[in-house]
Amino acid sequence: MELPKQFRLKGKLWKVVLVKQLVHEDGTKCYGICDTDTRVIHIEKNLNPAERFNAFLHELCHAMIHEAHIDETLLDGKIEEILCEAFADIFTHDFDINLMEKFNE
Ligand SMILES: [Zn+2]
């Protein structure tokens, strides 16, 4: 599955770019980075499609948390990582919902 090049969250435009190699500020390697200042999600190019999609979903969760303006005193970085990892996992395993179908019932 191809990743979207851009998407909107609460009306805000986010971009998705594939990059050669990603490194956190502390020097550790990572598969994705969510830059909330520029609203750009960076995903490592050399992942297999499943890893790439999972990395995108993880970063998308960070973007959603950012746009939801959740109080940072209530959600520290470690908890946010756990949530993003868990939600990305849920979305990649048998997640299926057709919102329009539900609307039309
Ligand atoms: Zn993360």
Side-chain angles (χ1 to χ4, degrees), residues 16-91:
V16 181
V17 294
L18 296 176
V19 292
K20 244 186 182 161
Q21 198 176 42
L22 281 173
V23 185
H24 277 298
E25 285 168 6
D26 65 4
T28 56
K29 229 178 129 355
C30 60
Y31 293 153
I33 288 178
C34 177
D35 187 335
T36 54
D37 294 332
T38 57
R39 290 192 168 90
V40 176
I41 287 177
H42 305 261
I43 301 293
E44 183 166 317
K45 199 184 283 183
N46 298 320
L47 300 173
N48 71 44
E51 289 172 330
R52 192 186 304 150
F53 189 53
N54 188 269
F56 167 70
L57 290 171
H58 178 104
E59 302 310 327
L60 177 64
C61 289
H62 281 298
M64 290 191 288
I65 287 169
H66 176 74
E67 297 298 2
H69 302 293
I70 295 170
D71 185 345
E72 284 178 25
T73 60
L74 298 174
L75 186 67
D76 75 18
K78 204 168 186 180
I79 293 172
E80 182 172 329
E81 284 309 318
I82 291 167
L83 289 176
C84 291
E85 207 51 44
F87 291 153
D89 188 61
I90 286 169
F91 285 136

